[in-house]
């Protein structure tokens, strides 16, 4: 059964099928409304495969004479979808009956009937029906109504493009050329130019350059067709590209945004001349400001990002224009704008960019917009990146940003704390001012995690006597009076706990696993989570007391341990710089009192949960250290911590440098490539733009940018044998994987001495793969071959399978069909996954959010943990996020995080946790998490297959 093309799609409700007899009765009646409903039902039945042969004569007798416009429109739709030819391809005799009706419609006094009939003729492929109607079609070119004229032009184009069209209407290009010269209606002119563009390109080019001075006044639709013509001509004839580029640049001043956008895209695709690229970039920047649709802005930003990758030096000049897109309230637009701008920062423009970002940060304080906190976090991260890349601007941004340490948005406050921590190490000149400012603003910090960062900075970088004393005094002031609770409060708390045993027991049991920085699991109670968000103040802290006191009384014991460590460092440093032993002893006793009070609070019943063992051990260690100070321990606390941080920053810098090197493309030219020299070029008759374009093309040719990478060995690896060598038909496929589709280029060889008829490649898919079109039948001569292409769409990252048969008939026995089963083609998930980077915080957030987990037990012959990690990363095409410094040493245990992103935007997270056993073998688990089931299962299968260390 042959499939037919369909030009019409209508929804069909199969629940209420119409009967052919009912339709016939309604058509034979005089009620127009019933006729309309009956025609609609007949059309839907035909579209869904039902044949109603006896209905045609009824329609000719009772529907054809109707003068109702809706009936006539539906009649044309009916005629469009019925079979007009017999099995041999000859036009059915009864089709002659409709020719007279179509001629009458083309001569109708009503312009609507004329227009819809002309549109119907555009979809007819039978020249026997169209030929007697050609004089009437040509007459409609002179009709007074533009609706008729524009459809007449389209009808002429469709007639001319028929297989016998040039014979039927050989003068069509000349007629349309004359029509175009005199026509005033924009839509009719567009259709006429489109006809010349498709059927007589030389005439279209001639018309364009004859009227080039008025091109800016042409309608939007006509200008779009002109751009299509320019693209087509320039691909074929690159020599004349210069004069067409001038046309495009003149169209950049068109009033239509769509035309301007297409002009910019066409310029970039045709030319690499700096003038052309600069004009396109300026156009994109203007569109960013003039367009209100967020989707349009995102598309334009994508084009700007592409320009940035290939013409960075030109985009650097326009960085401030791109930054103006931050005026949009949409977070996605702002994020994409900042990503583009950060790649365009140079020493020349960094001051302007940072000043603009600082202004935007100030704006986020005043407004009450919903996404202000998220936007502020993005701005802080952008300023942080600028300061790290160009340390000279750090002094101008670090102090204003420190005002946000007490921000209600925890993420942005945390980013500021991390930024300050890095800047104070990399810019020693700013140390004194940062410490002073931090001590002044410390009381504003209300979040536990931000407090821990700030305390660490104070403990490490408060070096002078005044700074150390101020640090101790600030911590003491924020903790408030000791002890943290009274005996009466403890008694009340005990009574309250007895009355709410049921509630407390359910709270204690609500413990769930959380992810540590290395990807391993730990158990965290609900109490700690509440401490991380909004502290619950007890009676002793209801009076306006410091921020540290409220956090300590909420049960945040990790913060208690950080306070103890910070006080220990400050007291040890005070001992080195304070000549008065009395002051040192006084500070020591104050620190010890605070630590003992925190231990006492942790072991009391005032808080709902007792202190955890880790925090208790840490505080006890600090107490012991202050009671028995030693030189070796002093060195560890005052020097080794800082050295570890410096090493971490160095590792981070090294990783970023390696990534930037990996991104740079190395283009190689062939030694025998032709090189043109700029100063020896003939400049006769060439404008500056044309000369620039020629030079840029030569430079690309010289640097190897035009040379295509034909990796023949890689192509051979992708050829898959589908049938055996002894089969009568041999088939092999070359698989090309593009992001969203797969192209199978199948070579079929007839190895017999017979002609194979109706040979068809039947394919089916499993997984998220979809065959785009059904392949046609072929006839293969003896010992001949045929190339068959099949397109398959991919909708998600999942391992898919393509399977199928080759079916054919032999010339000796037409009735018997032979079937050859093909080998399965497995589509590898690795074709869609690429290594990517993400922040540690983002990784942990996604790990907690994603619901699909696949746990694979380690089973490998590899005995070295790092070698196994590298093997897994290579097999899964993922990037190891855990820094190399964290993987150093030989401890027999390894935990690392891997991350990749698919072309569909899906995230793939992997945690490898392995341990070396006594017998030297590795044991442990590889956990895969993703938002969708397919990627988790496919990656798990891939790891199971590859982890043993085999090829």
């Amino acid at each position: 059964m042959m499939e037919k093309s369909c030009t019409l799609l209508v929804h069909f409700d199969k629940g209420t099928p119409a009967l052919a007899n009912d339709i016939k009765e309604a058509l034979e009646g005089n009620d127009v409304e019933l006729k309309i409903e009956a025609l609609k039902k007949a059309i839907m039945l035909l579209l869904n495969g039902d044949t109603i042969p006896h209905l045609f004569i009824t329609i000719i007798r009772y529907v054809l004479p109707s003068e109702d416009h809706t009936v006539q429109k539906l009649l044309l739709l009916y005629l469009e979808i019925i079979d007009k030819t017999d099995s041999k391809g000859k036009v059915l005799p009864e089709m002659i009956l409709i020719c007279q009706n179509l001629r009458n419609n083309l001569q109708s006094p009503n312009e609507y009937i004329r227009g819809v009939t002309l549109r119907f003729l555009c979809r007819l492929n039978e020249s026997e029906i169209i030929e007697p109607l050609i004089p009437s079609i040509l007459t409609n070119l002179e009709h007074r109504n533009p609706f008729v004229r524009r459809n007449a032009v389209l009808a002429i184009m469709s007639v001319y493009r028929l297989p016998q069209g040039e014979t039927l209407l050989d003068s069509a290009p000349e007629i349309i050329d004359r029509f175009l010269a005199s026509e005033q209606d924009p839509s009719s002119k567009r259709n006429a130019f489109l006809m010349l563009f498709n059927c007589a390109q030389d005439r279209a080019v001639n018309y364009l350059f004859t009227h080039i001075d008025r091109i800016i006044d042409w309608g939007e639709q006509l200008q779009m067709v002109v751009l299509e013509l320019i693209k087509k001509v320039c691909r074929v004839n690159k020599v004349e590209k210069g004069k067409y580029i001038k046309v495009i640049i003149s169209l950049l001043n068109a009033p239509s945004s769509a035309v301007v956008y297409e002009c910019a895209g066409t310029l970039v695709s045709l030319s690499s001349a700096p003038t052309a690229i600069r004009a396109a970039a300026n156009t994109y920047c203007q569109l960013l400001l003039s367009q209100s649709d967020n989707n349009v802005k995102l598309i334009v930003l994508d084009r700007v990002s592409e320009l940035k990758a290939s013409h960075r030096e030109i985009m650097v000049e326009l960085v401030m224009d791109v930054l103006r897109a931050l005026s949009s309230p949409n977070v996605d637009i702002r994020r994409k704008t900042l990503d583009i701008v950060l790649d365009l920062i140079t020493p020349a423009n960094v001051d302007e960019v940072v000043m603009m970002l600082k202004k935007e940060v100030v704006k986020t304080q005043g407004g009450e917009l919903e996404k202000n906190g998220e936007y502020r976090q993005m701005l802080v991260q952008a300023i942080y990146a600028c300061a790290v890349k160009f340390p000279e601007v750090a002094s101008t941004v670090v102090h204003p940003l420190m005002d946000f340490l007490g921000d209600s948005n925890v993420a942005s406050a945390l980013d500021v704390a991390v930024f300050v921590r890095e800047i104070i190490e990399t810019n020693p000149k700013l140390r004194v001012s940062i410490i002073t400012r931090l001590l002044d603003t410390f009381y504003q910090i209300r979040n536990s995690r931000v407090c821990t960062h700030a305390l660490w900075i104070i403990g490490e970088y408060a070096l002078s006597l005044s700074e150390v004393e101020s640090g101790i005094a600030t911590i003491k002031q924020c903790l408030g009076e000791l002890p943290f609770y009274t005996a009466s409060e403890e008694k009340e708390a005990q009574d309250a706990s007895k009355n709410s045993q049921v509630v407390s027991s359910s709270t204690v049991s609500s413990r769930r696993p959380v992810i540590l920085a290395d990807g391993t699991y730990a158990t965290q109670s609900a109490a700690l989570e509440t401490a991380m968000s909004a502290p619950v103040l007890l009676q002793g802290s209801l009076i306006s007391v410091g921020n540290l006191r409220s956090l300590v009384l909420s049960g945040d014991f990790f913060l208690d341990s950080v306070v103890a460590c910070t006080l220990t460092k400050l007291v040890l440093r005070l001992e080195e710089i304070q000549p008065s032993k009395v002051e040192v002893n006084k500070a020591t006793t104050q620190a010890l009192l605070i630590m003992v009070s925190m231990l006492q609070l942790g072991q009391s019943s005032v808080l709902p949960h007792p202190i955890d063992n880790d925090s208790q051990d840490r505080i006890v260690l600090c107490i012991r250290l202050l009671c028995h100070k030693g030189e070796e321990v002093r060195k560890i606390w005052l020097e080794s911590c800082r050295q570890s941080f410096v090493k971490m920053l160095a590792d981070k810098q090294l990783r970023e440098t390696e990534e930037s090197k990996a991104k740079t493309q190395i283009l190689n030219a062939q030694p025998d490539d032709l090189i043109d020299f700029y100063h020896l070029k003939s400049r006769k008759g060439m404008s500056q733009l044309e000369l620039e374009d020629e030079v840029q093309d030569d430079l690309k040719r010289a640097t190897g940018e035009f040379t295509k990478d034909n990796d023949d060995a890689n192509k051979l690896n992708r050829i898959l044998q589908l049938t055996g060598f002894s089969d009568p038909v041999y088939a092999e496929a070359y698989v090309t994987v593009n992001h969203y589709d797969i192209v199978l280029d199948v070579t079929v060889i007839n190895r017999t001495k017979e002609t194979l008829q109706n040979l068809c490649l039947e394919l089916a898919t499993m997984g998220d793969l979809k065959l785009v079109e059904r392949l046609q039948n072929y006839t293969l001569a003896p010992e001949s071959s045929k190339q068959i292409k099949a397109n398959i769409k991919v909708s998600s990252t999942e391992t898919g399978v393509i399977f199928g048969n080759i079916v054919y008939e032999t010339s000796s026995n037409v009735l018997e069909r032979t079937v050859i089963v093909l080998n399965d083609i497995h589509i590898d998930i690795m074709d869609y996954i690429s290594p990517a980077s993400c922040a540690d915080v983002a990784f942990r957030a996604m790990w907690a959010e994603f619901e699909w987990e696949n746990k694979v037990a380690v089973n490998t012959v590899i005995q070295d943990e790092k070698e196994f990690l590298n093997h897994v990363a290579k097999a899964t095409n993922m990037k190891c996020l855990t820094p190399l410094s964290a993987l150093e040493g030989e401890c027999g245990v390894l935990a690392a995080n891997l991350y990749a992103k698919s072309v569909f935007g899906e995230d793939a997270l992997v945690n490898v946790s392995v341990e070396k056993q006594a017998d030297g073998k590795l044991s442990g688990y590889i956990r895969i998490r993703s938002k969708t089931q397919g990627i988790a299962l496919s990656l798990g299968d891939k790891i199971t297959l590859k982890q043993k260390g085999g090829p």
Side-chain angles (χ1 to χ4, degrees):
M1 178 182 171
M2 290 290 289
E3 288 191 354
K4 294 179 291 184
S5 61
C6 177
T7 57
L8 185 64
L9 288 175
V10 180
H11 171 70
F12 179 60
D13 185 5
K14 293 185 178 179
T16 55
L19 297 174
N21 290 334
D22 297 341
I23 295 172
K24 188 177 179 183
E25 286 177 14
L27 291 174
E28 289 173 352
N30 294 323
D31 192 331
V32 175
E33 293 298 324
L34 289 177
K35 277 189 179 184
I36 290 170
E37 287 302 315
L39 269 174
K40 287 180 179 179
K41 289 176 182 177
I43 290 168
M44 286 192 283
L45 284 173
L46 284 168
L47 283 174
N48 284 274
D50 292 345
T51 55
I52 320 172
H54 60 277
L55 206 62
F56 181 75
I57 298 300
T58 304
I59 288 175
I60 293 295
R61 287 180 62 191
Y62 295 101
V63 178
L64 210 62
S66 174
E67 294 181 1
D68 185 81
H69 291 177
T70 308
V71 171
Q72 286 295 323
K73 172 70 176 175
L74 290 169
L75 173 63
L76 292 173
L77 292 178
Y78 170 80
L79 295 175
E80 184 181 323
I81 58 178
I82 61 170
D83 290 328
K84 303 169 195 68
T85 56
D86 57 20
S87 57
K88 295 180 181 178
K90 290 186 178 180
V91 175
L92 294 169
E94 54 264 33
M95 286 298 118
I96 304 302
L97 296 172
I98 68 168
C99 276
Q100 185 59 42
N101 180 66
L102 293 174
R103 188 184 289 108
N104 292 340
N105 282 356
L106 292 175
Q107 295 169 358
S108 167
N110 184 280
E111 55 269 13
Y112 175 76
I113 295 296
R114 287 196 185 207
V116 293
T117 306
L118 287 165
R119 190 177 295 174
F120 162 71
L121 293 178
C122 295
R123 300 189 181 97
L124 275 185
N125 297 320
E126 290 74 26
S127 54
E128 291 91 337
I129 300 174
I130 291 175
E131 188 174 3
L133 303 174
I134 288 175
S136 301
I137 296 172
L138 293 174
T139 307
N140 280 294
L141 282 176
E142 299 170 2
H143 194 273
R144 67 183 184 282
N145 194 290
F147 176 70
V148 177
R149 294 200 302 273
R150 78 173 75 120
N151 282 299
V153 173
L154 291 178
I156 290 170
M157 182 171 73
S158 64
V159 170
Y160 191 75
R161 295 178 75 178
L162 288 173
Q164 301 88 21
E166 293 186 24
T167 309
L168 291 172
L169 198 56
D170 57 340
S171 60
E174 187 181 344
I175 293 169
I176 296 299
D177 202 358
R178 288 200 304 270
F179 171 83
L180 185 59
S182 59
E183 181 58 41
Q184 298 300 318
D185 177 59
S187 297
S188 302
K189 286 179 75 174
R190 178 258 180 195
N191 289 353
F193 192 83
L194 183 66
M195 190 273 175
L196 294 179
F197 166 53
N198 287 312
C199 306
Q201 191 172 296
D202 291 343
R203 287 180 180 271
V205 171
N206 186 44
Y207 178 82
L208 171 63
F209 283 103
T210 305
H211 303 84
I212 197 166
D213 52 334
R214 295 201 301 271
I215 191 171
I216 199 72
D217 301 323
W218 290 357
E220 175 187 337
Q221 295 175 323
L222 183 54
Q223 289 173 340
M224 295 291 268
V225 180
V226 167
L227 289 172
E228 286 296 321
L229 172 70
I230 290 172
K231 286 183 196 173
K232 187 176 178 182
V233 172
C234 289
R235 286 193 196 103
V236 179
N237 189 3
K238 294 184 178 179
V239 178
E240 297 184 358
K241 192 167 60 171
K243 63 181 182 182
Y244 288 104
I245 290 174
K246 286 190 282 189
V247 175
I248 299 170
I249 288 182
S250 68
L251 278 173
L252 286 175
N253 299 316
S256 166
S257 299
V259 172
V260 170
Y261 173 79
E262 279 298 320
C263 282
T266 307
L267 265 183
V268 174
S269 64
L270 294 182
S271 175
S272 298
T275 306
I277 299 299
R278 198 171 284 111
N282 276 317
T283 301
Y284 286 141
C285 292
Q286 288 166 11
L287 287 172
L288 280 176
L289 294 176
S290 62
Q291 296 302 304
S292 57
D293 190 330
N294 290 337
N295 292 320
V296 173
K297 289 189 176 186
L298 286 169
I299 292 168
V300 172
L301 282 170
D302 284 335
R303 301 290 84 77
V304 172
S305 183
E306 290 168 8
L307 270 186
K308 177 203 70 180
S310 52
H311 303 280
R312 185 178 182 274
E313 65 286 347
I314 292 172
M315 292 306 301
V316 164
E317 303 168 13
L318 302 170
V319 66
M320 295 309 293
D321 294 325
V322 176
L323 259 181
R324 291 164 72 187
L326 291 177
S327 58
S328 168
N330 184 276
V331 175
D332 293 324
I333 292 172
R334 287 169 162 176
R335 183 181 290 109
K336 194 166 279 192
T337 303
L338 288 173
D339 289 341
I340 292 169
V341 167
L342 287 177
D343 286 339
L344 297 175
I345 293 175
T346 62
N349 62 25
V350 66
D351 291 328
E352 280 184 288
V353 171
V354 168
M355 190 180 298
M356 177 81 169
L357 294 177
K358 280 162 64 178
K359 287 179 183 176
E360 288 294 316
V361 170
V362 172
K363 285 181 189 176
T364 61
Q365 288 178 285
E368 294 297 326
L369 292 174
E370 182 185 350
K371 300 278 186 178
N372 259 0
E374 188 179 347
Y375 180 40
R376 184 157 55 250
Q377 183 188 358
M378 288 191 294
L379 290 170
V380 168
Q381 289 172 346
I383 294 172
Y384 176 22
C386 294
V388 170
K389 200 171 181 181
F390 301 96
E392 61 271 14
V393 301
S395 59
T396 62
V397 296
V398 68
H399 296 301
L401 285 184
M402 287 179 73
D403 293 334
F404 293 99
L405 284 170
D407 193 0
S408 56
N409 185 300
V410 178
S412 62
L414 199 57
D415 283 335
V416 171
V418 173
F419 170 52
V420 171
R421 187 181 66 179
E422 185 168 338
I423 292 299
I424 200 171
E425 173 59 40
T426 54
N427 292 264
K429 293 178 182 177
L430 300 176
R431 185 193 64 78
V432 176
S433 59
I434 289 176
I435 285 291
T436 307
R437 187 66 177 268
L438 183 58
L439 291 172
D440 290 342
T441 58
F442 184 79
Y443 69 93
Q444 299 174 355
I445 303 173
R446 294 287 167 184
N447 181 264
S448 172
R449 296 176 68 190
V450 182
C451 265
T452 56
H453 280 73
L455 286 168
W456 187 88
I457 294 169
I458 293 169
E460 287 295 336
Y461 295 97
L463 303 180
S464 68
L465 180 59
S466 60
E467 290 167 356
V468 172
E469 288 177 342
S470 297
I472 295 172
T474 301
I475 294 172
K476 186 182 174 186
Q477 183 184 356
C478 291
L479 285 170
E481 295 181 4
L482 301 177
F484 291 105
Y485 66 96
T486 62
S488 60
E489 287 174 358
E490 183 175 17
K491 188 176 179 183
E492 288 174 14
Q494 286 175 348
D495 295 339
S497 64
K498 286 176 184 177
N499 295 334
S500 58
Q501 269 186 343
V502 179
V503 179
S504 64
S505 63
S506 65
T507 309
V508 172
S509 62
S510 65
R511 300 165 77 85
R512 57 178 180 269
V514 294
I515 307 95
L516 299 179
D518 62 355
T520 55
Y521 289 104
T523 304
Q524 178 177 359
S525 66
L528 185 53
E529 289 176 18
T530 54
M532 299 287 267
S533 51
V536 181
L537 304 184
L538 300 174
Q539 289 181 4
S541 59
L542 285 173
I543 314 163
S544 60
V545 193
N547 53 341
L548 279 182
R549 185 181 185 87
S550 62
L551 291 169
V552 167
L553 288 171
S554 67
D556 191 345
F557 300 117
F558 177 70
L559 180 62
D560 293 357
S561 65
V562 175
V563 170
C565 292
T566 304
L567 286 171
T568 304
K569 289 178 185 176
L570 291 174
V571 170
L572 289 174
R573 191 164 285 118
L574 184 67
E575 194 175 2
E576 289 183 348
I577 57 178
Q578 173 61 269
S580 171
K581 296 295 179 187
V582 176
E583 292 297 326
V584 174
N585 290 337
K586 185 179 176 182
T588 306
T589 53
Q590 287 175 348
L592 287 170
L593 180 60
I594 291 170
M595 294 177 203
V596 171
S597 299
M598 286 192 287
L599 281 177
Q600 189 180 14
L601 176 68
Q603 292 167 354
S604 71
S605 56
V606 173
L607 297 179
H609 299 278
I611 189 169
D612 59 279
N613 293 334
D614 287 343
S615 300
Q616 182 171 340
D617 292 345
R618 191 78 169 163
I619 296 171
V620 169
L621 175 66
C622 293
I623 293 172
R624 286 178 180 165
L625 180 59
L626 291 181
C627 294
H628 308 283
K629 302 163 187 168
E631 194 59 38
E632 189 66 31
V633 176
R634 185 193 305 276
K635 187 177 178 183
I636 292 171
W637 280 71
L638 296 183
E639 295 178 19
S640 299
C641 292
R642 175 95 65 87
Q643 289 169 1
S644 297
F645 179 60
V646 171
K647 188 179 179 185
M648 187 189 85
L649 290 181
D651 286 344
K652 179 186 171 189
Q653 186 69 31
L654 182 64
R655 283 203 312 275
E656 289 173 354
T657 307
E658 288 176 353
E659 284 176 9
S660 62
K661 283 182 182 177
K663 284 180 183 176
T664 56
Q665 297 178 348
I666 301 171
L667 300 170
N668 297 316
Q670 297 301 320
D672 57 346
D673 280 354
L674 180 67
I675 299 177
D676 289 337
F677 292 92
Y678 176 77
H679 292 289
L680 301 180
K681 268 192 174 296
S682 170
R683 303 183 180 215
K684 189 176 180 182
M686 292 180 75
S687 67
Q688 181 63 26
L689 178 61
E690 290 173 283
L691 193 63
E692 280 183 18
D693 188 59
E694 289 273 337
V695 171
Q696 287 298 321
D697 283 354
D698 294 339
L699 283 173
K700 282 188 176 181
R701 210 172 282 115
T703 54
E705 208 167 316
F706 279 164
T707 59
K708 293 183 180 178
D709 184 18
N710 295 320
D711 191 351
D712 295 329
N714 190 34
K715 281 188 175 182
L716 289 173
N717 291 336
R718 290 186 171 274
I719 292 178
L720 302 170
Q721 185 178 335
L722 300 181
T723 62
F725 291 116
S726 59
D727 287 319
V729 175
Y730 175 76
E732 63 181 22
Y734 171 61
V735 184
T736 307
V737 178
N738 299 321
H739 285 338
Y740 299 103
D741 61 344
I742 299 166
V743 179
L744 295 183
D745 196 348
V746 184
T747 304
V748 180
I749 303 173
N750 179 6
R751 304 186 65 207
T752 66
K753 301 291 184 183
E754 292 184 288
T755 300
L756 305 183
Q757 297 177 348
N758 292 330
L759 184 140
C760 181
L761 180 65
E762 297 179 344
L763 296 176
T765 58
M766 189 173 71
D768 283 338
L769 304 175
K770 186 180 179 183
L771 199 63
V772 175
E773 58 193 352
R774 184 177 173 186
L775 303 174
Q776 66 183 75
N777 294 354
Y778 298 95
T779 299
L780 267 186
E783 298 182 351
S784 65
S785 63
K786 185 75 180 174
Q787 298 285 122
I788 303 173
K789 282 197 174 182
N791 291 306
I792 293 166
K793 287 290 175 189
V794 186
S795 56
S796 74
T797 312
E798 186 178 342
T799 301
V801 181
I802 304 168
F803 49 91
N805 310 312
I806 289 179
V807 183
Y808 62 90
E809 302 165 357
T810 57
S811 54
S812 59
N813 190 355
V814 180
L815 299 175
E816 187 179 341
R817 292 175 69 80
T818 308
V819 179
I820 300 174
V821 180
L822 305 178
N823 291 331
D824 295 347
I825 302 172
H826 291 266
I827 303 303
D828 196 350
I829 188 177
M830 294 303 107
D831 291 321
Y832 306 108
I833 282 184
S834 56
S837 297
C838 79
D840 193 38
V841 177
F843 184 93
R844 294 169 70 182
M846 285 189 288
W847 188 275
E849 177 191 346
F850 291 170
E851 55 190 28
W852 290 105
E853 179 175 299
N854 191 0
K855 188 176 177 183
V856 180
V858 172
N859 179 19
T860 181
V861 295
I862 300 172
Q863 296 192 345
D864 183 72
E865 309 96 297
K866 291 177 194 167
E867 186 186 343
F868 177 71
L869 174 65
N870 293 333
H871 177 72
V872 170
K874 186 178 179 183
T876 55
N877 198 22
M878 301 184 85
K879 180 178 179 180
C880 181
L881 298 182
T882 309
L884 291 174
S885 56
L887 301 173
E888 287 177 357
E890 299 292 337
C891 61
V893 178
L894 182 142
N897 294 329
L898 306 176
Y899 178 69
K901 214 170 180 65
S902 75
V903 294
F904 305 101
E906 299 166 316
D907 301 287
L909 315 177
V910 171
N911 172 252
V912 180
S913 299
V914 292
E915 181 182 7
K916 184 175 276 191
Q917 302 293 327
D919 58 359
K921 291 184 178 179
L922 296 180
S923 67
Y925 290 98
I926 301 168
R927 288 183 176 86
I928 306 134
R929 283 204 181 181
S930 66
K931 209 166 192 175
T932 56
Q933 182 184 16
I935 195 168
L937 293 176
S938 301
L939 262 181
D941 294 341
K942 187 76 178 176
I943 290 171
T944 305
L945 186 69
K946 294 279 188 178
Q947 68 164 320
K948 288 191 177 181

